[in-house]
Amino acid sequence: MKLPGIKALLVAAAAAVRCAAAVAAVEVNTASVADLDGVKGIGPALSAKILQAREKGPFQNWPDLVGRVPGLGKASAARLSSEGLTVNGAAFDGARAAAVPSLPMAGASR
């Protein structure tokens, strides 16, 4: 007996697993080079800077990470947070605000 929907179901399940893995949290204080490189937006140069700064001690919070890693600003932190990077389990406070464009308020003049 051939079930035509099984193949589609398996493809959908595989896609769901990939999507879940793509947004899995990567803790900056315990991540390996491979873990960091797996976060979209972090390449070998940035992961090296993160690991070098981490040698001086764990990052306390996002401002500490941004302040200690050269070239990492608030916009980059927001983007990396939205890709799953965390500091002590926390997302970047501005990640949501940076990801959602602000809309003018009704009745506001331009």
Side-chain angles (χ1 to χ4, degrees):
M1 177 176 195
K2 186 175 179 182
L3 298 174
I6 293 294
K7 185 175 181 181
L9 181 61
L10 291 174
V11 169
V17 168
R18 271 188 252 139
C19 287
V23 294
V26 174
E27 172 55 46
V28 73
N29 284 315
T30 58
S32 67
V33 173
D35 294 335
L36 290 171
D37 286 346
V39 175
K40 184 178 177 184
I42 298 181
L46 184 54
S47 62
K49 290 177 184 179
I50 291 170
L51 293 175
Q52 184 177 16
R54 193 173 75 187
E55 287 176 2
K56 297 174 183 168
F59 299 105
Q60 301 302 308
N61 49 38
W62 279 96
D64 185 32
L65 175 68
V66 170
R68 289 172 45 196
V69 177
L72 182 63
K74 291 180 181 178
S76 296
R79 189 176 62 254
L80 296 175
S81 179
S82 70
E83 293 296 333
L85 191 68
T86 62
V87 178
N88 289 324
F92 183 69
D93 290 337
R96 184 172 176 202
V100 178
S102 59
L103 300 174
M105 294 177 54
S109 61
R110 292 184 181 192

